[in-house]
Structures are given as C-alpha cells and as structure tokens.
Amino acid sequence: MKWSVILRFLIIGLLWAGVCGVLIARMIATDTPVNLVTLFPVIASGVCIFVPLYKKYIKNDNQRKSNR
C-alpha cells in the first residue's frame, strides 16, 4: 500500500475520531446516557466513512496486484 493511502486513512481517521470525541464529550456534559442508541450515529458514521475507503483503496489495490 502506498504512503499516500496510509496518510489519507490516518488523516480521515483522526478527524473522525476527533468529531466523535467531541460528540461523546457533549453527551457526557449534558448528562445524556451513553448507550447503544446514542452511540449508533458514531458507529454508523464509521461504517459510512471507512467501508468505501477500504473498497476503493485496499480491495481494488489487491485486485490490481493479483492481475499482474
């Protein structure tokens, strides 16, 4: 895997983790119970962000290498 792809994953992952941290910190500050229902947006956003990136950069990269 190229360094540019690793860097993209790292930057997007850090941004996503920061936004999720802010969301959870706000939930704790407002005394909102932290349970599966309130954490579902965090989980769903992770799936929506990282699955397409995985399919585009890692799965397709492996297919290109096997075709050579």
Side-chain angles (χ1 to χ4, degrees):
M1 190 172 2
K2 294 181 181 180
W3 281 104
S4 61
V5 173
I6 294 171
L7 188 62
R8 285 179 200 151
F9 271 101
L10 184 64
I11 290 171
I12 291 172
L14 289 174
L15 286 171
W16 175 78
V19 169
C20 291
V22 169
L23 176 67
I24 293 171
R26 285 185 55 111
M27 288 186 337
I28 292 171
T30 58
D31 292 331
T32 304
V34 179
N35 54 26
L36 187 59
V37 174
T38 56
L39 288 179
F40 179 75
V42 173
I43 297 166
S45 69
V47 170
C48 290
I49 290 172
F50 291 109
V51 168
L53 288 174
Y54 172 81
K55 284 183 179 180
K56 181 176 181 177
Y57 292 113
I58 295 175
K59 189 176 177 185
N60 286 342
D61 190 46
N62 290 339
Q63 287 177 353
R64 278 187 233 130
K65 286 181 182 177
S66 67
N67 287 340
R68 289 181 183 178

